[in-house]
Amino acid sequence: MSVTIKSEREIGLMREAGKILAKTHKELANALKPGMSTWDIDHIGEEIIRSYGCIPSFKNYMGYPASICVSVNSEVVHGIPSKKRILVDGDIVSLDAGVIYKGYHSDAARTHAIGEVSLEAKKLIEVTKQSFFEGIKFAKEGYHLNDISRAIGRYAENFGYGVVRDLVGHGIGRNLHEDPEIPNFSRKRRGVKLQAGMTLAIEPMINEGTFKVVWLGDNWTVVTGDGKLSAHYENTVLITKEEPEILSI
Ligand code: MF3
Ligand code: CO
């Protein structure tokens, strides 16, 4: 498959999907509190998504059993919601959600603090978010994909953080995962030339310590190699001739 350019009609639908996803994330953030389980978050998230007439993209995707990926502390991504996993004061939790609106996907992730967290945890969350915004300074027609990747990776590495290499962002549209792959670190190749109408899910996954990650026995949950914290921040972005349009914010 190659990178698709969306029509005005498709962009309109992706705008709607993105708006609904942004609202979902806001409502989920307001619902978070110590004592709730990661299953509760998934349940609430699925209800919100369906209340807007959307389908949760992740549910049953490649066999993933839930609507929201809930990843706590050293879990990087794809944590599986569980009634046994209870959030406590001081945890950080990454929520990754996707919605389908009239056949079009939007994908976004946020990392939140539960109650009072350490200064180190706060900083990791902030830097991860900012690395996304550093990256999208180059999300404009005429730049190359690697300009985005390099900006994200450089920014996070300046803080001594580990930039996850085994998982990447992706094109998005009629499918959750489309070309191109979007690494969060610089590669030798410039990658595709960005063109107005491309829609990209840009998603830095940043670790406090090593960039290395490990898959748990459930074959989904990805954790840091050293047990230190990890944060995730993602939005669906439309490339234009000028500033990028962040669809899921
Ligand atoms: N944002 C994640 C991704 O782009 C969500 C997919 S999780 C899955 O890969 F459960 F749906 F696989
Ligand atoms: Co994604």
Side-chain angles (χ1 to χ4, degrees), residues 82-201:
S82 158
K83 286 187 175 173
K84 289 190 217 143
R85 186 77 194 249
I86 309 294
L87 296 179
V88 299
D89 198 85
D91 281 342
I92 66 169
V93 60
S94 300
L95 306 183
D96 190 352
V99 304
I100 311 174
Y101 177 77
K102 297 190 178 167
Y104 285 83
H105 291 255
S106 194
D107 185 4
R110 306 281 182 262
T111 301
H112 299 288
I114 303 298
E116 268 306 305
V117 303
S118 67
L119 279 178
E120 289 80 6
K122 272 187 198 154
K123 186 172 151 200
L124 177 68
I125 293 171
E126 271 317 301
V127 169
T128 301
K129 180 175 179 181
Q130 188 56 34
S131 72
F132 166 86
F133 287 97
E134 295 298 323
I136 65 160
K137 289 178 180 170
F138 300 92
K140 226 181 256 184
E141 181 159 292
Y143 285 108
H144 288 261
L145 196 63
N146 197 51
D147 298 325
I148 299 176
S149 300
R150 188 196 306 114
I152 293 171
R154 268 204 190 148
Y155 183 78
E157 278 171 0
N158 259 330
F159 291 85
Y161 291 147
V163 175
V164 174
R165 305 177 81 86
D166 290 352
L167 296 140
V168 295
H170 48 95
I172 182 168
R174 209 166 238 307
N175 305 103
L176 174 59
H177 294 133
E178 298 185 355
D179 281 345
E181 286 195 351
I182 310 174
N184 296 301
F185 53 90
S186 184
R187 289 195 294 197
K188 287 207 184 77
R189 287 170 172 275
R190 290 192 295 178
V192 295
K193 193 168 183 182
L194 301 176
Q195 268 181 61
M198 290 179 175
T199 43
L200 308 176

